[in-house]
Amino acid sequence: LLGGPAWGSTPEPAVLAVWLGPDATDGQWRAPASKSPIGRLYAGLPRLRVADRRCAEWLDDQVVVSHHKNASTRHRCPRFAFALSGAAAADQGDAVDRNLAASMCAPSVIVPAAQKGASSYLFALLATHPQTLRPLRGSQYKEPGAYVNLVYFRQPFRKRVSRFPFVRPAEGLVAVDATVTYASESRLPAMRAARDTPEARIIFALREPVDRSYSDYRFCYRPYYESRDLGWDAAVEAVLPEYDACFGDTMRAHNNASAAVGADLLEAYYGTACEDIHLRRHDPYGLLRKSLYAFQVQHFIHVFGRDRVTAVTAEQLKADAAGVAAAVASFAGLCPFDFDGIAPVHVTTNRLKSHHAWSRRVYRRLRTWFRPYNELLFAVLGTDDAELGWRDLPEPASLRDEDRRRRRR
């Protein structure tokens, strides 16, 4: 339908609306046939360009340099490799999937962990970069969940990719997937993502493990812990013996090992080694499990390669958000950009019953308990607690002092 102004009125830009039928409403991306009316209209649409002038010039320079060196520019538009190969579906679906995979760019920046580890803040910073685009579906338009079990086994390729923005080659735009359960759910999300986009950059958003655990407890307080009258101290202390039974012997064998995480520890974390003690059932929200970062990071390194995986922490972001964001953008291959600090994002505000809050005794016990697991993480990343901002952290002011209460009684 073409609309225009009434005769004699002030001219206005014409508006074009095209009804695409079921293809526009069934949630599946399909590139139109090139010779069809819709295909000709699609081909005539102008390419999107990065709005920031300096970034656009930088992108143009990268193309010139790449052509001069006869180098590939695929890193700017990674394709859905598995579907493009024709192996993602059978027979009739193959051609549709290959056509779609050849028509758009796969997400090239993935933030797979950790829940309550400042992933929302990091994502919000990256979302201000002129090249990045949010997912079209998922929590906060941040977590499309394309590679979690619930989605991957139920949706065909062309429906899964509709969770991401349709970015065409040479537009210089980048889709970001910050589904923070990818690293802790199982081995499979990393492997699925790598089949789609093996050149993706992986950025972990971590937080001091005990702080993350307590923040996660507060986040899950209303739907679970409050109704069971289960405080954080009791929730974490109850499962410590089971984690020790699962990881203890293997961890002791790795204490002096230079190779940070072996197959035995990954099997304990992701496999069936701890199945008999029902570890996940006793820690259903993963208060401790999701803070065992070394295994998650090592698995993604195994899948994507060491040079494609990095990590930042909530403590680093708190100290220098703009600097950390600039370093992350550079790692992801994005143009230089002057980031500004932003307000805190997705802060947990649940108020707890006083006896459910964390105590100084259990906080200190957990800091000690996580120490060997943190040492594994430092070895995996080639860093230390000072660089991550975890050394000499002051104890939180909100800790309960149990001994003082007993004296008052």
Side-chain angles (χ1 to χ4, degrees), residues 121 209 241 275 293 310 338 382:
Y121 189 76
E275 193 171 281
Y293 305 134
T310 191
D338 295 328

Side-chain angles (χ1 to χ4, degrees), residues 77-160:
C77 180
R79 305 305 178 87
F80 288 93
F82 185 54
L84 196 60
S85 70
D91 302 330
Q92 188 175 2
D94 259 359
V96 175
D97 287 345
R98 283 197 303 271
N99 186 32
L100 176 56
S103 301
M104 66 182 293
C105 307
S108 57
V109 177
I110 298 175
V111 182
Q115 190 171 28
K116 307 312 294 179
S119 63
S120 294
Y121 189 76
L122 175 62
F123 178 82
L125 277 171
L126 290 176
T128 66
H129 191 281
Q131 281 183 266
T132 59
L133 295 174
R134 290 175 175 268
L136 301 182
R137 301 183 186 182
S139 175
Q140 308 168 65
Y141 294 98
K142 161 185 172 271
E143 303 184 36
Y147 303 113
V148 300
N149 290 339
L150 188 63
V151 173
Y152 197 84
F153 288 125
R154 293 186 178 184
Q155 294 187 356
F157 170 75
R158 66 204 68 145
K159 189 151 190 171
R160 277 191 293 109

Side-chain angles (χ1 to χ4, degrees), residues 88-311:
D91 302 330
Q92 188 175 2
D94 259 359
V96 175
D97 287 345
R98 283 197 303 271
N99 186 32
L100 176 56
S103 301
M104 66 182 293
C105 307
S108 57
V109 177
I110 298 175
V111 182
Q115 190 171 28
K116 307 312 294 179
S119 63
S120 294
Y121 189 76
L122 175 62
F123 178 82
L125 277 171
L126 290 176
T128 66
H129 191 281
Q131 281 183 266
T132 59
L133 295 174
R134 290 175 175 268
L136 301 182
R137 301 183 186 182
S139 175
Q140 308 168 65
Y141 294 98
K142 161 185 172 271
E143 303 184 36
Y147 303 113
V148 300
N149 290 339
L150 188 63
V151 173
Y152 197 84
F153 288 125
R154 293 186 178 184
Q155 294 187 356
F157 170 75
R158 66 204 68 145
K159 189 151 190 171
R160 277 191 293 109
V161 298
S162 71
R163 295 168 177 267
F164 303 113
F166 196 102
V167 178
R168 293 182 290 184
E171 289 182 334
L173 300 171
V174 172
V176 181
D177 181 346
T179 305
V180 293
T181 57
Y182 284 164
S184 59
E185 180 183 86
S186 71
R187 292 185 178 100
L188 295 177
M191 299 164 70
R192 294 164 182 156
R195 289 203 305 182
D196 269 357
T197 174
E199 299 175 3
R201 297 290 177 161
I202 311 302
I203 303 155
F204 280 82
L206 308 179
R207 183 177 183 177
E208 192 284 315
V210 184
D211 285 350
R212 193 222 65 82
S213 172
Y214 187 61
S215 181
D216 206 3
Y217 170 82
R218 294 177 63 220
F219 180 68
C220 302
Y221 184 64
R222 291 286 164 76
Y224 185 78
Y225 295 106
E226 183 182 33
S227 63
R228 288 162 175 76
D229 194 25
L230 185 60
W232 181 79
D233 286 11
V236 297
E237 284 198 299
V239 295
L240 281 177
E242 296 174 37
Y243 276 94
D244 288 336
C246 178
F247 292 103
D249 290 342
T250 310
M251 283 293 296
R252 280 188 286 274
H254 280 72
N255 270 349
N256 298 316
S258 56
V261 179
D264 48 357
L265 280 173
L266 288 178
E267 175 62 21
Y269 188 78
Y270 286 116
T272 58
C274 302
E275 193 171 281
D276 291 343
I277 58 177
H278 305 295
L279 189 59
R280 291 205 191 193
R281 184 186 302 174
H282 295 145
D283 185 16
Y285 284 89
L287 295 183
L288 298 186
R289 187 175 187 278
K290 286 183 282 188
S291 287
L292 298 174
Y293 305 134
F295 312 128
Q296 304 169 41
V297 174
Q298 184 68 70
H299 176 55
F300 271 80
I301 288 175
H302 282 167
V303 173
F304 284 90
R306 180 64 187 90
D307 61 335
R308 296 193 175 276
V309 179
T310 191

